[in-house]
Amino acid sequence: MSLAARLDAQRQDNQDILDSLREDGADLSEDFVIEHHFASPSFDKLEKMAMEVYKLGYEVADAEEFREGRVTLFCFDAVREGPLVLEELNEDTDTLLQLADRFGVDYDGWGTFFGEEDDELDEE
């Protein structure tokens, strides 16, 4: 799939996720922890990507190693906190997807916490 097609698909995913959160009663103007997920079989590529993402102001989690069949993957999350605003998410995901493409790293979308997990974090 071309980069342009992946950008369009990610923008649609962003809209769908926000619509689902709204339907579930989330107040998108509140601050949310937003985790962007990256993976690569090359630790070197992933490390270079992580340094660039850090320079963009994201908190970068330590890389983890996973095995999928015969393939070893290295993964990390880039974390930011803030309200869920579609235009800002689209800008972030466009930037991160283009950066991932440049480094040959897979961008595996983003996620956040809402509901029971979010309530448990508040209690701590």
Side-chain angles (χ1 to χ4, degrees):
M1 181 183 305
S2 71
L3 177 59
R6 290 191 322 239
L7 289 167
D8 287 341
Q10 184 60 56
R11 284 175 168 246
Q12 185 60 54
D13 285 349
N14 293 348
Q15 181 67 61
D16 293 345
I17 292 168
L18 295 185
D19 289 346
S20 293
L21 286 167
R22 240 186 246 104
E23 288 172 14
D24 289 342
D27 179 357
L28 303 184
S29 66
E30 292 181 4
D31 281 351
F32 287 80
V33 174
I34 304 164
E35 296 180 346
H36 297 272
H37 312 291
F38 302 91
S40 176
S42 168
F43 183 81
D44 290 338
K45 288 180 180 181
L46 194 75
E47 184 177 44
K48 288 175 184 170
M49 171 78 188
M51 287 189 290
E52 288 300 313
V53 170
Y54 178 78
K55 290 176 187 176
L56 292 174
Y58 289 87
E59 185 178 319
V60 176
D62 289 337
E64 296 183 30
E65 183 177 339
F66 293 96
R67 287 199 52 85
E68 282 191 9
R70 296 180 182 191
V71 176
T72 299
L73 288 177
F74 300 95
C75 309
F76 80 90
D77 292 335
V79 181
R80 207 181 250 179
E81 193 171 322
L84 296 175
V85 177
L86 180 61
E87 294 78 16
E88 292 174 12
L89 277 169
N90 285 342
E91 286 178 26
D92 288 348
T93 56
D94 284 1
T95 298
L96 294 172
L97 234 169
Q98 291 170 7
L99 199 57
D101 188 66
R102 189 174 101 207
F103 282 96
V105 169
D106 291 327
Y107 175 70
D108 195 26
W110 63 274
T112 190
F113 301 97
F114 177 70
E116 289 181 32
E117 288 182 24
D118 191 36
D119 293 340
E120 288 173 16
L121 290 173
D122 289 341
E123 290 173 11
E124 293 176 6

